[in-house]
Amino acid sequence: QVQLVESGGGLVQAGGSLRLSCTASRSITFGVMGWYRQAPGKQRDMVATITSDGTTNYADSVKGRFTISRDNAKNTVYLQMNSLKSEDTAVYYCHRNRFGTLTWGQGTQVTVSS
């Protein structure tokens, strides 16, 4: 079972940037990698996904501000977050879907102060 470890969360002012990293314990060459987020009292929602061939998909709320990328050689997926807003405050989770097998990281807190 692959393990996913997120890092890079923290406290940032509105308009600022953060880069989240998700490092897997094994190869991520195959499968769809993604970032999800969950704010207090809300459901967990998709933020961005990237397939093994590099095709990306974003939630409308982050399009043009967030960028997902992957480095298969480092078993790592990134989420570059720019122009952060207070509504981006949430716990961000890394996710992997490999042929229907789902894996989640433990999450990293992102707090955007207005």
Side-chain angles (χ1 to χ4, degrees):
Q1 179 81 6
V2 66
Q3 293 183 333
L4 305 175
V5 179
E6 301 99 333
S7 61
L11 174 64
V12 64
Q13 288 188 332
S17 298
L18 281 176
R19 188 177 80 156
L20 305 183
S21 298
C22 169
T23 300
S25 58
R26 297 191 309 198
S27 172
I28 61 167
T29 302
F30 299 104
V32 179
M33 302 296 298
W35 289 94
Y36 289 68
R37 67 186 180 187
Q38 188 168 20
K42 296 187 177 181
Q43 67 181 19
R44 190 175 298 186
D45 292 324
M46 186 276 291
V47 175
T49 61
I50 185 167
T51 65
S52 56
D53 66 358
T55 301
T56 58
N57 184 43
Y58 296 93
D60 287 343
S61 59
V62 306
K63 282 181 180 177
R65 300 190 297 123
F66 291 10
T67 302
I68 188 171
S69 60
R70 62 194 295 165
D71 185 338
N72 290 337
K74 296 182 178 180
N75 297 338
T76 300
V77 178
Y78 304 98
L79 185 67
Q80 177 66 43
M81 306 186 294
N82 298 328
S83 302
L84 283 161
K85 305 175 182 180
S86 57
E87 51 262 45
D88 295 319
T89 294
V91 177
Y92 283 71
Y93 296 91
C94 182
H95 175 262
R96 184 191 189 203
N97 182 347
R98 184 178 184 273
F99 306 126
T101 298
L102 308 181
T103 305
W104 293 94
Q106 84 287 351
T108 185
Q109 176 71 45
V110 171
T111 303
V112 183
S113 64
S114 57

PDB file of all heavy atoms in Angstrom, residues 4 30-34 36 95-103:
ATOM      1  N   LEU A   4       1.124   8.402   1.242  1.00  0.00           N
ATOM      2  CA  LEU A   4       1.253   9.753   0.728  1.00  0.00           C
ATOM      3  C   LEU A   4       1.470  10.708   1.891  1.00  0.00           C
ATOM      4  O   LEU A   4       0.720  10.676   2.871  1.00  0.00           O
ATOM      5  CB  LEU A   4      -0.011  10.153  -0.044  1.00  0.00           C
ATOM      6  CG  LEU A   4      -0.446   9.228  -1.175  1.00  0.00           C
ATOM      7  CD1 LEU A   4      -1.786   9.694  -1.759  1.00  0.00           C
ATOM      8  CD2 LEU A   4       0.615   9.192  -2.268  1.00  0.00           C
ATOM      9  N   PHE A  30       1.899   5.474 -12.547  1.00  0.00           N
ATOM     10  CA  PHE A  30       0.568   5.137 -13.015  1.00  0.00           C
ATOM     11  C   PHE A  30      -0.473   5.615 -12.012  1.00  0.00           C
ATOM     12  O   PHE A  30      -0.279   5.569 -10.807  1.00  0.00           O
ATOM     13  CB  PHE A  30       0.437   3.627 -13.212  1.00  0.00           C
ATOM     14  CG  PHE A  30       1.392   3.091 -14.237  1.00  0.00           C
ATOM     15  CD1 PHE A  30       2.525   2.407 -13.840  1.00  0.00           C
ATOM     16  CD2 PHE A  30       1.178   3.311 -15.579  1.00  0.00           C
ATOM     17  CE1 PHE A  30       3.426   1.920 -14.777  1.00  0.00           C
ATOM     18  CE2 PHE A  30       2.063   2.825 -16.527  1.00  0.00           C
ATOM     19  CZ  PHE A  30       3.193   2.139 -16.127  1.00  0.00           C
ATOM     20  N   GLY A  31      -1.592   6.094 -12.530  1.00  0.00           N
ATOM     21  CA  GLY A  31      -2.668   6.533 -11.655  1.00  0.00           C
ATOM     22  C   GLY A  31      -2.890   8.025 -11.737  1.00  0.00           C
ATOM     23  O   GLY A  31      -2.033   8.786 -12.193  1.00  0.00           O
ATOM     24  N   VAL A  32      -4.036   8.432 -11.277  1.00  0.00           N
ATOM     25  CA  VAL A  32      -4.406   9.844 -11.238  1.00  0.00           C
ATOM     26  C   VAL A  32      -4.093  10.382  -9.854  1.00  0.00           C
ATOM     27  O   VAL A  32      -4.554   9.832  -8.845  1.00  0.00           O
ATOM     28  CB  VAL A  32      -5.907  10.027 -11.545  1.00  0.00           C
ATOM     29  CG1 VAL A  32      -6.285  11.503 -11.473  1.00  0.00           C
ATOM     30  CG2 VAL A  32      -6.247   9.453 -12.908  1.00  0.00           C
ATOM     31  N   MET A  33      -3.319  11.438  -9.817  1.00  0.00           N
ATOM     32  CA  MET A  33      -2.993  12.100  -8.552  1.00  0.00           C
ATOM     33  C   MET A  33      -3.842  13.358  -8.424  1.00  0.00           C
ATOM     34  O   MET A  33      -4.181  13.996  -9.427  1.00  0.00           O
ATOM     35  CB  MET A  33      -1.518  12.472  -8.498  1.00  0.00           C
ATOM     36  CG  MET A  33      -0.569  11.305  -8.655  1.00  0.00           C
ATOM     37  SD  MET A  33      -0.715  10.109  -7.315  1.00  0.00           S
ATOM     38  CE  MET A  33      -0.257  11.097  -5.898  1.00  0.00           C
ATOM     39  N   GLY A  34      -4.184  13.705  -7.193  1.00  0.00           N
ATOM     40  CA  GLY A  34      -5.023  14.879  -7.022  1.00  0.00           C
ATOM     41  C   GLY A  34      -4.869  15.521  -5.667  1.00  0.00           C
ATOM     42  O   GLY A  34      -4.292  14.952  -4.736  1.00  0.00           O
ATOM     43  N   TYR A  36      -7.360  17.505  -2.847  1.00  0.00           N
ATOM     44  CA  TYR A  36      -8.703  17.797  -2.377  1.00  0.00           C
ATOM     45  C   TYR A  36      -8.573  18.679  -1.143  1.00  0.00           C
ATOM     46  O   TYR A  36      -7.505  18.740  -0.532  1.00  0.00           O
ATOM     47  CB  TYR A  36      -9.444  16.502  -2.021  1.00  0.00           C
ATOM     48  CG  TYR A  36      -9.832  15.666  -3.217  1.00  0.00           C
ATOM     49  CD1 TYR A  36      -8.869  15.028  -3.994  1.00  0.00           C
ATOM     50  CD2 TYR A  36     -11.167  15.512  -3.574  1.00  0.00           C
ATOM     51  CE1 TYR A  36      -9.215  14.275  -5.093  1.00  0.00           C
ATOM     52  CE2 TYR A  36     -11.536  14.743  -4.676  1.00  0.00           C
ATOM     53  CZ  TYR A  36     -10.546  14.130  -5.427  1.00  0.00           C
ATOM     54  OH  TYR A  36     -10.903  13.379  -6.520  1.00  0.00           O
ATOM     55  N   HIS A  95      -4.258  12.782  -2.943  1.00  0.00           N
ATOM     56  CA  HIS A  95      -5.072  11.620  -3.271  1.00  0.00           C
ATOM     57  C   HIS A  95      -4.498  10.917  -4.486  1.00  0.00           C
ATOM     58  O   HIS A  95      -3.969  11.558  -5.395  1.00  0.00           O
ATOM     59  CB  HIS A  95      -6.510  12.080  -3.567  1.00  0.00           C
ATOM     60  CG  HIS A  95      -7.421  11.001  -4.030  1.00  0.00           C
ATOM     61  ND1 HIS A  95      -7.709  10.783  -5.361  1.00  0.00           N
ATOM     62  CD2 HIS A  95      -8.144  10.088  -3.328  1.00  0.00           C
ATOM     63  CE1 HIS A  95      -8.560   9.772  -5.457  1.00  0.00           C
ATOM     64  NE2 HIS A  95      -8.834   9.341  -4.247  1.00  0.00           N
ATOM     65  N   ARG A  96      -4.629   9.602  -4.465  1.00  0.00           N
ATOM     66  CA  ARG A  96      -4.205   8.810  -5.618  1.00  0.00           C
ATOM     67  C   ARG A  96      -5.280   7.800  -5.958  1.00  0.00           C
ATOM     68  O   ARG A  96      -5.827   7.128  -5.078  1.00  0.00           O
ATOM     69  CB  ARG A  96      -2.900   8.070  -5.326  1.00  0.00           C
ATOM     70  CG  ARG A  96      -2.361   7.305  -6.546  1.00  0.00           C
ATOM     71  CD  ARG A  96      -1.238   6.384  -6.146  1.00  0.00           C
ATOM     72  NE  ARG A  96      -0.560   5.804  -7.297  1.00  0.00           N
ATOM     73  CZ  ARG A  96       0.130   4.667  -7.254  1.00  0.00           C
ATOM     74  NH1 ARG A  96       0.230   3.998  -6.114  1.00  0.00           N
ATOM     75  NH2 ARG A  96       0.718   4.211  -8.327  1.00  0.00           N
ATOM     76  N   ASN A  97      -5.584   7.705  -7.245  1.00  0.00           N
ATOM     77  CA  ASN A  97      -6.517   6.708  -7.741  1.00  0.00           C
ATOM     78  C   ASN A  97      -5.767   5.866  -8.774  1.00  0.00           C
ATOM     79  O   ASN A  97      -5.485   6.332  -9.876  1.00  0.00           O
ATOM     80  CB  ASN A  97      -7.731   7.368  -8.376  1.00  0.00           C
ATOM     81  CG  ASN A  97      -8.749   6.356  -8.867  1.00  0.00           C
ATOM     82  OD1 ASN A  97      -8.470   5.164  -8.951  1.00  0.00           O
ATOM     83  ND2 ASN A  97      -9.934   6.830  -9.174  1.00  0.00           N
ATOM     84  N   ARG A  98      -5.428   4.661  -8.382  1.00  0.00           N
ATOM     85  CA  ARG A  98      -4.716   3.777  -9.277  1.00  0.00           C
ATOM     86  C   ARG A  98      -5.595   2.583  -9.570  1.00  0.00           C
ATOM     87  O   ARG A  98      -5.751   1.713  -8.710  1.00  0.00           O
ATOM     88  CB  ARG A  98      -3.385   3.327  -8.681  1.00  0.00           C
ATOM     89  CG  ARG A  98      -2.544   2.464  -9.624  1.00  0.00           C
ATOM     90  CD  ARG A  98      -1.212   2.091  -8.994  1.00  0.00           C
ATOM     91  NE  ARG A  98      -0.359   1.358  -9.911  1.00  0.00           N
ATOM     92  CZ  ARG A  98      -0.398   0.050 -10.068  1.00  0.00           C
ATOM     93  NH1 ARG A  98      -1.240  -0.693  -9.364  1.00  0.00           N
ATOM     94  NH2 ARG A  98       0.429  -0.543 -10.926  1.00  0.00           N
ATOM     95  N   PHE A  99      -6.207   2.594 -10.725  1.00  0.00           N
ATOM     96  CA  PHE A  99      -7.089   1.514 -11.177  1.00  0.00           C
ATOM     97  C   PHE A  99      -8.157   1.204 -10.123  1.00  0.00           C
ATOM     98  O   PHE A  99      -8.457   0.047  -9.848  1.00  0.00           O
ATOM     99  CB  PHE A  99      -6.272   0.256 -11.480  1.00  0.00           C
ATOM    100  CG  PHE A  99      -5.154   0.486 -12.447  1.00  0.00           C
ATOM    101  CD1 PHE A  99      -3.850   0.127 -12.112  1.00  0.00           C
ATOM    102  CD2 PHE A  99      -5.379   1.073 -13.679  1.00  0.00           C
ATOM    103  CE1 PHE A  99      -2.801   0.345 -12.999  1.00  0.00           C
ATOM    104  CE2 PHE A  99      -4.331   1.308 -14.567  1.00  0.00           C
ATOM    105  CZ  PHE A  99      -3.050   0.935 -14.223  1.00  0.00           C
ATOM    106  N   GLY A 100      -8.724   2.267  -9.529  1.00  0.00           N
ATOM    107  CA  GLY A 100      -9.808   2.110  -8.577  1.00  0.00           C
ATOM    108  C   GLY A 100      -9.373   1.966  -7.133  1.00  0.00           C
ATOM    109  O   GLY A 100     -10.221   2.023  -6.232  1.00  0.00           O
ATOM    110  N   THR A 101      -8.087   1.810  -6.888  1.00  0.00           N
ATOM    111  CA  THR A 101      -7.590   1.773  -5.513  1.00  0.00           C
ATOM    112  C   THR A 101      -7.281   3.201  -5.073  1.00  0.00           C
ATOM    113  O   THR A 101      -6.466   3.877  -5.687  1.00  0.00           O
ATOM    114  CB  THR A 101      -6.324   0.912  -5.403  1.00  0.00           C
ATOM    115  OG1 THR A 101      -6.642  -0.430  -5.779  1.00  0.00           O
ATOM    116  CG2 THR A 101      -5.805   0.914  -3.965  1.00  0.00           C
ATOM    117  N   LEU A 102      -7.983   3.637  -4.021  1.00  0.00           N
ATOM    118  CA  LEU A 102      -7.869   5.023  -3.569  1.00  0.00           C
ATOM    119  C   LEU A 102      -6.963   5.114  -2.346  1.00  0.00           C
ATOM    120  O   LEU A 102      -7.085   4.311  -1.416  1.00  0.00           O
ATOM    121  CB  LEU A 102      -9.253   5.577  -3.233  1.00  0.00           C
ATOM    122  CG  LEU A 102     -10.321   5.419  -4.321  1.00  0.00           C
ATOM    123  CD1 LEU A 102     -11.632   6.041  -3.854  1.00  0.00           C
ATOM    124  CD2 LEU A 102      -9.871   6.017  -5.632  1.00  0.00           C
ATOM    125  N   THR A 103      -6.099   6.114  -2.346  1.00  0.00           N
ATOM    126  CA  THR A 103      -5.201   6.358  -1.218  1.00  0.00           C
ATOM    127  C   THR A 103      -5.237   7.837  -0.868  1.00  0.00           C
ATOM    128  O   THR A 103      -5.224   8.686  -1.771  1.00  0.00           O
ATOM    129  CB  THR A 103      -3.756   5.945  -1.554  1.00  0.00           C
ATOM    130  OG1 THR A 103      -3.733   4.580  -1.982  1.00  0.00           O
ATOM    131  CG2 THR A 103      -2.849   6.106  -0.342  1.00  0.00           C
TER     132      THR A 103
END
